[in-house]
């Protein structure tokens, strides 16, 4: 198991109980995502954590696969899925590279692409797995523009309180990397603006 998976497995039970830190930003994000989803869509979500967002969005699409690096996060997600009886939702553990053969029309990832080994490679893999007109919708903390995140995260990593890797991306770099993978950006936002947390809706031409 990778070091990251061990970190996320360890904090999964606590993470599952944490309240959403900014409910208006979360609800705005969900509302924007939902506005793009069709009842016929086949969705994959990366870094889905314990599946809270998947439980909210799955009822709006045909089928939904929620994935996460951490088997511990996925196991809690599966318990929640069973408790709510959502039959078109499947939960699995793995990273983007493990799901390149999935038949999907929409790919999602929230608060995860600053944590993956190689965001650029993942954006390219997601581009490959989607059909033409397929959507890639993400939200990523763009912490590169705030100087104090670097020393803070480094100290937390030294004490095992933050995962590795953490990428310090800027809003501009995120937009550019998603475009460089081949996507057209159709909508952006900052929810919340303070982080800033970059919301991007991208379409494969
Ligand atoms: C900050 S949490 C976000 C969870 C959820 N998307 C949310 O917004 O609440 C990051 C999640 O990404 C997962 N993760 C970390 N690195 C990953 C990777 N390389 N591939 C897939 N998931 C990863 C972690 O296990 C964790 O569940």
């Amino acid at each position: 198991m990778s070091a990251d998976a061990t970190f996320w497995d360890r904090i999964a039970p606590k993470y599952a109980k944490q309240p959403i830190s900014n409910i208006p930003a979360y609800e705005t994000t969900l509302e924007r995502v939902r506005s793009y989803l069709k009842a016929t869509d086949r969705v994959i979500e990366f870094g889905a954590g314990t599946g809270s967002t998947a439980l909210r969005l799955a009822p709006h699409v045909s089928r939904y696969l929620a994935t996460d690096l951490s088997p511990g996060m996925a196991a809690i997600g599966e318990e929640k899925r069973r408790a709510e009886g959502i039959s078109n939702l499947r939960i699995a553990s793995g990273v983007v590279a493990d799901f390149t053969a999935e038949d999907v029309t929409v790919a999602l990832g929230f608060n995860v692409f600053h944590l993956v080994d190689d965001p650029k490679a993942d954006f390219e893999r997601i581009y490959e797995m989607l059909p033409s007109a397929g959507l890639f919708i993400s939200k990523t903390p763009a912490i590169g523009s705030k100087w104090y995140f670097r020393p803070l995260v480094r100290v937390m990593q030294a004490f095992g309180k933050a995962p590795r890797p953490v990428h310090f991306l800027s809003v501009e770099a995120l937009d550019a990397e998603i475009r460089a993978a081949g996507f057209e950006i159709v909508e952006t936002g900052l929810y919340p603006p303070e982080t800033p947390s970059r919301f991007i809706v991208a379409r494969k031409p």
Side-chain angles (χ1 to χ4, degrees):
M1 189 184 285
S2 75
D4 309 307
T6 308
F7 173 87
W8 290 107
D9 272 357
R10 180 161 49 81
I11 69 159
K14 195 168 159 218
Y15 192 87
K17 292 194 191 100
Q18 263 171 11
I20 292 164
S21 63
N22 185 325
I23 291 175
Y26 180 68
E27 292 298 335
T28 302
T29 306
L30 270 190
E31 187 273 314
R32 293 312 307 139
V33 176
R34 231 175 4 230
S35 75
Y36 285 94
L37 298 179
K38 301 189 294 296
T40 51
D41 275 325
R42 304 179 298 282
V43 175
I44 189 164
E45 182 184 348
F46 299 109
T50 62
S52 306
T53 298
L55 292 169
R56 295 277 302 272
L57 294 178
H60 300 276
V61 299
S62 167
R63 62 179 151 80
Y64 196 117
L65 172 59
T67 72
D68 196 279
L69 164 77
S70 150
M73 291 277 188
I76 296 172
E78 175 57 16
E79 277 170 30
K80 287 160 66 176
R81 185 204 67 78
R82 227 179 291 140
E84 296 205 16
I86 300 191
S87 59
N88 70 336
L89 172 60
R90 190 158 63 90
I91 312 267
S93 58
V95 300
V96 172
D98 298 321
F99 298 99
T100 49
E102 290 295 326
D103 171 26
V104 293
T105 53
V106 179
L108 306 174
F110 306 112
N111 306 307
V112 63
F113 290 111
H114 62 311
L115 303 172
V116 302
D117 286 341
D118 185 348
K120 184 172 174 291
D122 277 1
F123 298 154
E124 289 168 359
R125 288 188 187 107
I126 291 168
Y127 182 88
E128 286 305 317
M129 85 177 68
L130 287 170
S132 176
L135 293 178
F136 171 37
I137 307 179
S138 60
K139 193 166 87 167
T140 308
I143 51 181
S145 52
K146 304 275 174 133
W147 67 268
Y148 50 82
F149 273 113
R150 277 172 205 264
L152 185 68
V153 170
R154 297 292 179 239
V155 170
M156 288 174 72
Q157 283 173 330
F159 288 95
K161 301 284 182 199
R164 293 172 197 274
V166 174
H167 298 284
F168 300 91
L169 299 163
S170 66
V171 165
E172 296 74 20
L174 265 169
D175 292 3
E177 287 201 356
I178 288 179
R179 278 202 191 91
F183 289 101
E184 297 168 343
I185 293 185
V186 294
E187 177 178 333
T188 58
L190 296 172
Y191 314 124
E194 310 85 76
T195 316
S197 208
R198 186 61 160 174
F199 176 74
I200 303 175
V201 180
R203 180 182 288 122
K204 179 167 175 172

